[in-house]
Amino acid sequence: MVKSHRNAVAMAALVVALAHAPAYAQSADDSATGNDIIVTGTRIKMPGNTSSSPIASTSEEQIKLQAALTIEDFSTKLPQLSGGVRQGSQGSDAFGAQVLELRNFGQSRTLVLIDGTRGTPFGFRNSMDVNSIPASLIKRVDVLTGGAAAVYGADAVAGVVNFILNDDFEGVRGTSAARLSEHGGAQYGGSVMVGTGLGDRGHVVVALDYTQRDMIRAGQRDWATTPNSTIPSTGGVYTDVASGNTFGFTDSGAFTDSPASTSNISSRYPLTSGLKRINAAALFKYELTPAIEVYGRAMFNNSRSTETGTVGATPVALSRTVSVSESNPYLTDDIRNQLTFVNGTAQVNVSRSLNQIIMYHTDRDTFQAQTGLRGALTSAINWNVYAQYGRSTESTEITGDGLVNNASGVNNFATLASMGDIFSSEGLIDGLTSDISSFHRKRDQFVTAGTLSGTSEELFSLPAGPIGFAAGVEYRRETASIGQDSALLTGNTYKEGVQAAYKGKFDVVELYGEVLIPVLHDLPLIEKFDVGGAYRLSKYDLWGTHGTWKMEANWKVDGNLRVRGTFQRVLRTPNFGEFAGGVSSLPFSNLVTVDRLKPRYGGDPCVLGTGDAAQCARFGAPAVGSADSTSASYLTGNYYYGGNPDLQPETGKTKTIGAVFTPTFLPGFNATLDWYEMNLKGAVGVIQPIAAITSCYITNPSASNPLCALVTRNEDGTFKDAYVNNQNLGRIVQRGFDISATYTARPEFLGDVGVRFSYQGNIVTSYTIQANATVSAVQCKGTFGATCSSDGTTLVQPDYRHTAGVGLLFGRGTIQFDWQRIGKVKSSAAGSTETISAQNTFDLSASREFQKGITMTAGIYNLFDKNPPYVSTGGVFNTFPDTYDILGRTFGFSLTAQI
């Protein structure tokens, strides 16, 4: 009752405070209106040209209604975008970046563009950290689904996300904003943007953003508590070898002769990453002559993040017998009375954890500069040449870990034990941990291109109109390197395993062209019918020559209906981690001790009794119930992962067929319905142990199953090593529908008040993943778990998602109510019956211009304080932070002043 009352008060306060509050306008074809607006998905610029590919647009007004300080604040609401990497992706090797992912198809298969050209990737990925884009500078975000490799090049397999920047802004705008979570956690920042004309020949816009996001610990959310996540005692258990006396200390440091063997400090583990971010950007264009304009952009971002690393937050655990000197100054009487000294030393077995969690502190700089020239060759043909260079550099400082041996190869713990303080957390932390500066990652990208585009109207026109075209050449060079501290290269740390250093490079020369042919017009039931196509020929120095193409059709029946379709061949080249990465390793046992890695292993089916008995006997597995296959001791070897220089590009086909409805009898209404199919062959990826073990012992228990070799066994039958290096796997196929609709009405009985309804939805009808050509495909529609993850990042594959909203439009303001729904999913683990029910969250936001140039926006996001769903196994902190809201009810505010 109290909670309900609080909800009601919050809603009432917001509505009353901003009751005279603009809802964002979003047309299904907003991306194609206006001659000066970029049409995402094509380089052909013709009056009235519309995209044949499905495009969902997010307007500047919508972004503002979310009080967005980062891209994540609004991108997570788009149903076409799945989880990807975000602030709750603790332990990700993205190190604080936000990476977008379309349709659960893998983060490397979504291409991010800025004004139609590539953004700068980071680390070993093909992906871009979208946090490097100033949110204040965004005019519109277009999400194009269905592939676009022929137009934009490799990596646009699932589609592209195109950030359109506001290069025409005039004036001075300052904004301060904050998002405060009710249960702890805050994000705040501000921005300044200045735009001015350069006489009557040009324009320049400069923007500066600052954002700070506080870290949230697991203990700040009740649902994130993990009472079973125990570690060896942080107080320690000490056993005198000679006498067998056991003593230790409580977690608070008090001496005891009956110490607890375990502790639970999981409440201190980070749930979201902390972030400090500075963005600076400048956009310019200037008319050198009436026929030539110079243009460009310069963008700089510094992001500093703090999060758990690839090994998780779990502290260093020590288990070793050491020699303690009788003259050790840190021996209290209580300790001395428990020890047996022989020739001045006592042999003591120590079992304990350090009381300091592992943290990664990453400093990333991203820079991109672009300049180009463009102009008119004739009145019907334009030209454009540009060059851009981008670099991302980052370094990570690891705290909470330390060196096992010194430079002479002597064990540091054994040395400390003799005369040092091994009995207190402070003594061990000071004596054993050392900051490790590592993961020095650098990524460079250079792109230059030239394009001719226009129409044939000066030479000829078909009966239905002139032919539109675009043709050009592009050169791209990419390099990447990762340097490691010597301790990580040799595995001389307690937690990091062996981390390889590597470098790589590739370049590609491409020829591309597009054509749009008007076939019929102004006929019964055919107001306009166009067909088109695109082709890109790419010559890689590493992977040979490949062609990608697109065929499309646009049929405008009349003012009420337009039908569209595309058929494309797409391609993705391996990223640096996939083709150039060296072999790294972590202890296999990390898959049961590190939260982020737990979804990759689900126990031994032979021990659990779910495996095929003949197959288990064939590989010498232990008997049913004879061991605990989910304990760390069952996984004795290493988890090897890394690159594969023999990888080849992924290739596939995508199809879309859709319709756009704009009924003249219902002004203000438009809707789109698009069917799509993505069929990717030779997908680059890894087969995680849970998938390999399930295939080998449950779904395909044959002696010839090649996946059996990916997880080996010891002589006693326990698991030894896992091999998850990248390879060209089988096939990934997804089919489904995108649906969107908006309706704006201003009925007379409401006076000057209007109402807007909006809906965006995604329905997946089939999603199959075939890991290897010798095994059957797995149906992943409406599932969760690592078995059905195409890249090990997004672990929830719902078959339905939507965002729906209703807004009241006033003369100087808006009140908006939004509803996000994620459909029901079931576990993809073999034999599991666990399900997660459909999840619904709601947002209420409003904006009002109180006086000219002064606008206030406020919102309550996750209005009813919906907790993320609980999952018994395979999640992180009992849920899936890659998909579900983990912040709870959040209050957002922004104040903007513009002159």
Side-chain angles (χ1 to χ4, degrees):
M1 179 66 71
V2 172
K3 186 172 183 179
S4 298
H5 177 69
R6 189 167 62 236
N7 291 341
V9 171
M11 292 175 65
L14 180 65
V15 173
V16 170
L18 299 171
H20 295 86
Y24 56 88
Q26 183 178 1
S27 165
D29 257 349
D30 275 347
S31 61
T33 59
N35 293 335
D36 297 328
I37 292 180
I38 294 173
V39 180
T40 298
T42 180
R43 287 186 169 86
I44 298 174
K45 296 183 178 181
M46 296 175 62
N49 189 16
T50 55
S51 174
S52 298
S53 299
I55 296 177
S57 293
T58 302
S59 67
E60 183 179 13
E61 289 76 18
Q62 183 176 359
I63 296 171
K64 289 178 180 178
L65 279 169
Q66 293 293 322
L69 290 108
T70 66
I71 305 301
E72 181 175 336
D73 294 333
F74 67 87
S75 66
T76 55
K77 309 295 176 68
L78 301 178
Q80 292 83 4
L81 288 170
S82 51
V85 178
R86 53 174 78 174
Q87 61 177 310
S89 301
Q90 291 301 294
S92 166
D93 51 16
F95 300 157
Q98 191 208 346
V99 175
L100 302 180
E101 180 177 344
L102 279 167
R103 304 197 189 283
N104 294 93
F105 229 64
Q107 54 186 298
S108 291
R109 301 184 184 107
T110 297
L111 180 62
V112 174
L113 306 174
I114 302 173
D115 285 335
T117 63
R118 288 175 178 262
T120 302
F122 72 102
F124 56 81
R125 289 169 165 77
N126 295 345
S127 308
M128 177 185 181
D129 174 13
V130 294
N131 280 334
S132 64
I133 302 173
S136 66
L137 200 53
I138 297 172
K139 179 191 296 183
R140 189 179 83 246
V141 182
D142 289 345
V143 177
L144 181 151
T145 57
V151 176
Y152 296 115
D155 310 330
V157 173
V160 302
V161 181
N162 191 11
F163 290 87
I164 312 300
L165 304 185
N166 191 352
D167 62 352
D168 289 319
F169 176 75
E170 190 88 30
V172 179
R173 177 193 295 167
T175 299
S176 61
R179 290 170 64 97
L180 310 175
S181 298
E182 181 175 318
H183 305 289
Q187 183 179 196
Y188 44 90
S191 65
V192 176
M193 185 160 64
V194 180
T196 184
L198 301 175
D200 59 355
R201 299 174 62 180
H203 202 82
V204 62
V205 179
V206 178
L208 180 66
D209 286 19
Y210 175 79
T211 303
Q212 182 165 327
R213 182 175 67 211
D214 295 342
M215 178 184 291
I216 298 175
R217 306 276 181 173
Q220 295 176 264
R221 298 294 189 273
D222 293 341
W223 52 264
T225 57
T226 50
N228 296 323
S229 294
T230 57
I231 59 175
S233 170
T234 59
V237 178
Y238 300 81
T239 302
D240 180 63
V241 175
S243 66
N245 293 336
T246 297
F247 64 96
F249 300 85
T250 65
D251 288 349
S252 60
F255 179 86
T256 176
D257 57 7
S258 57
S261 60
T262 62
S263 299
N264 188 330
I265 63 170
S266 59
S267 63
R268 292 165 44 195
Y269 291 177
L271 181 63
T272 67
S273 57
L275 176 71
K276 293 182 179 179
R277 184 192 71 161
I278 297 173
N279 288 88
L283 312 174
F284 71 92
K285 51 188 176 181
Y286 188 77
E287 186 181 280
L288 297 176
T289 73
I292 301 176
E293 181 181 64
V294 60
Y295 68 96
R297 65 174 180 257
M299 302 176 66
F300 172 79
N301 164 259
N302 173 257
S303 295
R304 288 164 288 166
S305 62
T306 303
E307 60 179 3
T308 62
T310 53
V311 297
T314 308
V316 170
L318 304 168
S319 180
R320 185 182 179 94
T321 298
V322 294
S323 298
V324 179
S325 173
E326 190 172 11
S327 58
N328 186 315
Y330 294 98
L331 298 180
T332 65
D333 290 342
D334 287 333
I335 297 172
R336 192 178 297 274
N337 291 337
Q338 300 291 326
L339 301 181
T340 303
F341 294 98
V342 178
N343 296 325
T345 62
Q347 299 299 304
V348 182
N349 179 269
V350 181
S351 177
R352 66 168 299 163
S353 294
L354 301 189
N355 199 19
Q356 186 175 28
I357 61 178
I358 307 294
M359 296 296 293
Y360 280 33
H361 311 265
T362 299
D363 193 330
R364 177 185 297 113
D365 288 334
T366 304
F367 169 78
Q368 186 182 70
Q370 180 196 80
T371 188
L373 295 170
R374 60 194 174 198
L377 188 64
T378 71
S379 61
I381 300 175
N382 296 316
W383 58 272
N384 183 3
V385 295
Y386 75 90
Q388 66 180 46
Y389 171 75
R391 167 173 284 188
S392 172
T393 59
E394 57 188 316
S395 291
T396 297
E397 184 176 278
I398 303 170
T399 60
D401 207 339
L403 307 182
V404 177
N405 299 320
N406 63 21
S408 301
V410 178
N411 185 270
N412 283 322
F413 182 40
T415 301
L416 177 68
S418 177
M419 293 294 291
D421 181 8
I422 65 169
F423 303 103
S424 72
S425 292
E426 293 79 7
L428 280 169
I429 291 171
D430 292 341
L432 291 182
T433 63
S434 57
D435 295 350
I436 301 170
S437 179
S438 205
F439 290 98
H440 305 289
R441 308 197 294 192
K442 182 171 71 173
R443 183 70 180 269
D444 290 271
Q445 181 190 77
F446 173 75
V447 182
T448 184
T451 304
L452 282 176
S453 63
T455 73
S456 65
E457 63 183 69
E458 294 178 321
L459 297 176
F460 67 91
S461 287
L462 300 176
I467 295 174
F469 70 90
V473 59
E474 180 174 322
Y475 171 77
R476 176 162 55 98
R477 183 185 70 243
E478 308 244 9
T479 64
S481 65
I482 297 182
Q484 301 288 14
D485 185 279
S486 60
L488 270 66
L489 291 173
T490 60
N492 188 33
T493 65
Y494 290 100
K495 296 285 292 183
E496 307 304 318
V498 176
Q499 299 293 329
Y502 59 87
K503 60 183 178 180
K505 63 180 180 179
F506 73 87
D507 64 21
V508 56
V509 179
E510 301 180 286
L511 300 174
Y512 57 85
E514 292 182 69
V515 64
L516 183 64
I517 303 172
V519 179
L520 299 170
H521 77 120
D522 296 334
L523 298 174
L525 297 181
I526 305 178
E527 183 174 322
K528 187 177 182 182
F529 179 68
D530 300 336
V531 297
Y535 187 80
R536 177 177 289 254
L537 183 67
S538 306
K539 182 179 181 180
Y540 292 89
D541 63 337
L542 294 184
W543 300 293
T545 301
H546 298 269
T548 54
W549 45 261
K550 175 178 75 169
M551 296 185 291
E552 62 182 359
N554 243 319
W555 171 23
K556 186 175 182 181
V557 178
D558 55 22
N560 301 281
L561 175 65
R562 183 165 63 89
V563 180
R564 60 193 181 186
T566 66
F567 182 31
Q568 306 185 55
R569 183 180 192 267
V570 295
L571 175 142
R572 182 182 82 88
T573 58
N575 66 38
F576 285 97
E578 293 167 341
F579 81 86
V583 177
S584 300
S585 67
L586 294 170
F588 198 175
S589 59
N590 277 19
L591 272 63
V592 296
T593 62
V594 178
D595 283 337
R596 181 182 69 90
L597 302 178
K598 287 179 180 179
R600 303 183 183 186
Y601 174 74
D604 186 345
C606 298
V607 174
L608 298 174
T610 58
D612 179 82
Q615 184 80 329
C616 292
R618 185 178 293 120
F619 284 94
V624 175
S626 62
D628 180 4
S629 65
T630 60
S631 68
S633 61
Y634 197 82
L635 309 178
T636 62
N638 292 305
Y639 173 91
Y640 294 99
Y641 61 97
N644 178 357
D646 297 325
L647 288 175
Q648 292 301 308
E650 306 170 341
T651 59
K653 303 285 179 58
T654 70
K655 304 172 187 176
T656 65
I657 300 173
V660 180
F661 304 94
T662 54
T664 55
F665 61 84
L666 188 60
F669 176 84
N670 59 60
T672 65
L673 173 65
D674 290 280
W675 173 86
Y676 66 89
E677 177 186 86
M678 299 185 296
N679 188 332
L680 189 65
K681 183 174 66 175
V684 175
V686 300
I687 301 175
Q688 294 295 348
I690 188 171
I693 292 168
T694 298
S695 176
C696 178
Y697 296 100
I698 300 177
T699 59
N700 187 20
S702 65
S704 60
N705 186 338
L707 274 59
C708 296
L710 299 182
V711 181
T712 62
R713 293 187 183 270
N714 295 297
E715 290 185 2
D716 64 357
T718 56
F719 285 136
K720 183 182 180 183
D721 297 316
Y723 299 91
V724 291
N725 64 301
N726 286 280
Q727 52 190 297
N728 289 104
L729 304 177
R731 190 182 295 268
I732 304 176
V733 182
Q734 185 180 141
R735 300 182 184 92
F737 291 91
D738 285 328
I739 307 170
S740 70
T742 62
Y743 177 55
T744 303
R746 294 186 179 274
E748 292 184 4
F749 67 87
L750 290 179
D752 64 348
V753 177
V755 61
R756 178 183 299 276
F757 300 94
S758 62
Y759 171 89
Q760 283 193 37
N762 173 239
I763 302 171
V764 178
T765 58
S766 179
Y767 183 30
T768 58
I769 296 179
Q770 183 183 28
N772 186 284
T774 63
V775 300
S776 300
V778 177
Q779 178 58 254
C780 293
K781 179 191 72 169
T783 65
F784 67 86
T787 302
C788 278
S789 176
S790 64
D791 64 355
T793 299
T794 303
L795 301 179
V796 182
Q797 300 84 30
D799 57 7
Y800 178 77
R801 297 179 72 146
H802 81 227
T803 295
V806 58
L808 293 177
L809 313 180
F810 301 86
R812 298 171 63 183
T814 298
I815 297 175
Q816 181 77 21
F817 183 76
D818 291 312
W819 167 29
Q820 292 89 39
R821 181 177 176 87
I822 300 174
K824 179 181 177 180
V825 289
K826 61 182 180 180
S827 174
S828 60
S832 176
T833 59
E834 184 172 8
T835 62
I836 297 176
S837 61
Q839 302 292 302
N840 300 284
T841 56
F842 301 89
D843 300 335
L844 178 64
S845 55
S847 178
R848 174 172 166 77
E849 185 181 27
F850 287 95
Q851 60 183 39
K852 185 175 177 58
I854 306 297
T855 302
M856 180 179 176
T857 300
I860 307 175
Y861 312 109
N862 195 345
L863 179 64
F864 300 109
D865 200 21
K866 175 76 172 181
N867 287 336
Y870 172 83
V871 60
S872 62
T873 58
V876 180
F877 292 111
N878 306 314
T879 191
F880 291 110
D882 61 291
T883 298
Y884 301 107
D885 178 80
I886 61 175
L887 297 181
R889 185 186 292 116
T890 299
F891 300 91
F893 306 90
S894 70
L895 181 64
T896 299
Q898 180 173 331
I899 56 175

